[in-house]
């Protein structure tokens, strides 16, 4: 029976609703969660409240896009990652909406992790669907996650083993904290990238140190703040942060390849940054990236995982 598959994702900063049909994206709807000016994040209670308001609006936008189509199953992200004890209240909003919709429509509900959704969206966008059924390496780099992963397929989308990452600050936190310090709105990634692109001078180089794939970023934040205070240049400060993150990710990638001769996939909101992506592409072979819209939080990957899970179950 032909039909489409819905995906719902309610991360800490974006409400997302998407649909796929035969592996093709029908729509990718998003609503960012509001963050007060000058702040660098949201409390979970505020995120949950915003998702509760956003979901009916996205469903209303999706209704005309689904006319003439049958929804065969619904997928939802229920937790941050596939690990025991992984939990964030904001995902309850998506699970509640998906459970109700699946019950009313009389269709199956499939549950996945937010991280697996990111990985599947990256593979779909990068044209690397063959990796769905084979091991690969991945970076999930966002405001809440900086992880280097060994990924293998399983019944819940993917099994992810953390083989590197941050010991303190996440890459997206660094970007947002420095961005807010520069007077940029949260999330600060796109604006910080624009500032960095305006700088044409020499960028001070902080040494990149990895310990078997693990790094520290709190010192980078401190140095960026001191650089801003000393030089008074937002453009230089932005370029310093992105340059360090670029070199850091390449160094971690090299650490990964010392142990695993596998393709590398880069996902998460930070990986939508063209500055960072260009540097990685020059220095890492067999590297795949999602398009910016599918690097940032989205429900496309969840919808694609739902379609594949339903095909296996049928």
């Amino acid at each position: 029976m032909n039909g489409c598959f819905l995906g719902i994702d309610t991360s800490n900063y974006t409400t997302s609703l998407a649909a796929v049909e035969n592996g093709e994206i029908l729509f990718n709807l998003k609503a960012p969660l509001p963050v007060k000016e000058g702040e660098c994040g949201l409390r979970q209670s505020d995120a949950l409240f915003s998702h509760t308001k956003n979901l009916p609006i996205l469903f209303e936008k999706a209704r005309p896009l689904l006319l003439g189509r049958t929804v065969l199953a619904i997928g939802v992200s229920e937790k941050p990652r596939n690990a025991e004890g992984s939990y964030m209240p904001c995902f309850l909003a998506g699970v509640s909406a998906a459970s109700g919709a699946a019950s009313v429509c009389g269709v199956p509900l499939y549950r996945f992790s937010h991280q697996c959704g990111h990985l599947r969206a990256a593979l779909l966008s990068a044209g690397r669907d063959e990796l769905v059924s084979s091991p690969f390496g991945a970076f999930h780099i966002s405001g809440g996650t900086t992880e280097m992963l060994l990924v293998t397929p399983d019944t819940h989308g993917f099994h992810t083993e953390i083989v590197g990452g941050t010991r303190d600050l996440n890459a997206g936190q660094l970007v947002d904290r420095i961005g807010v310090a520069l007077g940029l709105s949260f999330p600060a990634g796109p604006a910080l990238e624009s500032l960095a692109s305006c700088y044409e001078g020499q960028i001070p180089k902080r040494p990149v140190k990895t310990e078997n794939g693990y790094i520290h970023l709190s010192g980078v934040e401190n140095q960026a703040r001191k650089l801003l205070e000393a030089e008074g240049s937002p453009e230089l400060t932005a370029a310093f942060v992105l340059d360090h993150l670029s070199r850091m990710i390449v160094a971690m990638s090299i650490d990964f390849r010392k142990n695993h001769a596998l393709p590398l996939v880069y996902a998460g909101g930070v990986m939508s940054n063209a500055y960072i992506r260009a540097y990685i592409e020059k220095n890492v072979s067999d590297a795949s990236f999602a398009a910016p819209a599918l690097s940032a939080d989205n429900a496309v990957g969840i919808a694609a995982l739902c379609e594949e899970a339903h095909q296996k179950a049928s």
Side-chain angles (χ1 to χ4, degrees), residues 176-195:
D176 289 327
R177 288 183 183 185
I178 297 303
V180 171
L182 294 174
L184 307 176
S185 297
F186 180 95
L192 197 76
E193 182 181 341
S194 294
L195 273 178

Side-chain angles (χ1 to χ4, degrees), residues 99-154:
S99 299
S103 294
V104 169
C105 295
V107 299
L109 175 66
Y110 297 95
R111 299 171 182 243
F112 307 97
S113 73
H114 174 73
Q115 186 172 76
C116 284
H118 264 299
L119 296 176
R120 187 63 187 91
L123 295 181
L124 178 63
S125 178
R128 298 300 302 268
D129 282 351
E130 79 278 4
L131 295 180
V132 170
S133 56
S134 64
F136 61 94
F139 282 81
H140 180 191
I141 303 181
S142 64
T145 305
T146 302
E147 293 177 351
M148 183 167 70
L149 306 165
L150 177 60
V151 185
T152 52
D154 74 2

Side-chain angles (χ1 to χ4, degrees), residues 7-294:
I8 299 171
D9 182 80
T10 50
S11 69
N12 208 36
Y13 298 111
T14 309
T15 313
S16 302
L17 176 65
V20 301
E21 186 174 45
N22 297 323
E24 299 291 331
I25 301 169
L26 295 180
F27 58 79
N28 179 22
L29 303 176
K30 301 182 185 184
L33 307 191
V35 177
K36 293 180 181 178
E37 187 174 350
E39 294 189 359
C40 290
L42 279 174
R43 294 181 300 176
Q44 281 292 296
S45 57
D46 293 332
L48 186 60
F49 177 69
S50 293
H51 284 312
T52 302
K53 294 200 304 181
N54 285 345
L55 280 165
I57 296 172
L58 292 187
F59 272 105
E60 185 62 26
K61 289 182 178 179
R63 191 168 64 90
L65 303 176
L66 290 169
L67 287 177
R69 287 186 165 90
T70 300
V71 175
L72 298 182
I74 297 173
V76 65
S77 55
E78 64 173 352
K79 54 188 176 182
R81 59 188 309 273
N82 281 346
E84 187 175 351
S86 181
Y87 170 76
M88 286 179 72
C90 59
F91 291 104
L92 294 174
V95 171
S96 177
S99 299
S103 294
V104 169
C105 295
V107 299
L109 175 66
Y110 297 95
R111 299 171 182 243
F112 307 97
S113 73
H114 174 73
Q115 186 172 76
C116 284
H118 264 299
L119 296 176
R120 187 63 187 91
L123 295 181
L124 178 63
S125 178
R128 298 300 302 268
D129 282 351
E130 79 278 4
L131 295 180
V132 170
S133 56
S134 64
F136 61 94
F139 282 81
H140 180 191
I141 303 181
S142 64
T145 305
T146 302
E147 293 177 351
M148 183 167 70
L149 306 165
L150 177 60
V151 185
T152 52
D154 74 2
T155 55
H156 299 288
F158 304 103
H159 171 74
T160 55
E161 177 187 352
I162 300 174
V163 294
T166 180
R167 296 292 194 188
D168 47 22
L169 199 64
N170 283 310
Q173 285 179 297
L174 172 64
V175 168
D176 289 327
R177 288 183 183 185
I178 297 303
V180 171
L182 294 174
L184 307 176
S185 297
F186 180 95
L192 197 76
E193 182 181 341
S194 294
L195 273 178
S197 68
C198 296
Y199 184 74
E200 297 180 350
Q202 182 134 8
I203 302 172
K205 303 291 184 182
R206 179 183 175 88
V208 173
K209 296 181 181 179
T210 63
E211 302 168 357
N212 296 320
Y214 285 91
I215 48 90
H216 294 81
L217 284 174
S218 57
V220 184
E221 179 188 5
N222 295 335
Q223 187 170 344
R225 291 182 183 276
K226 290 178 181 177
L227 185 64
L228 177 62
E229 183 178 349
E231 301 294 335
S233 171
E235 294 82 5
L236 170 59
T237 305
F240 168 77
V241 169
L242 297 188
D243 174 77
H244 187 85
L245 288 178
S246 300
R247 291 184 295 113
M248 175 202 81
I249 296 168
V250 167
M252 294 170 69
S253 300
I254 292 170
D255 280 359
F256 180 88
R257 285 276 172 76
K258 289 177 182 176
N259 300 307
H260 309 284
L262 295 171
L264 279 168
V265 176
Y266 298 84
V270 172
M271 299 316 307
S272 63
N273 187 291
Y275 187 110
I276 295 175
R277 173 174 174 165
Y279 187 85
I280 296 171
E281 287 180 324
K282 289 180 182 178
N283 292 280
V284 180
S285 62
D286 200 8
S288 298
F289 299 82
L294 295 184

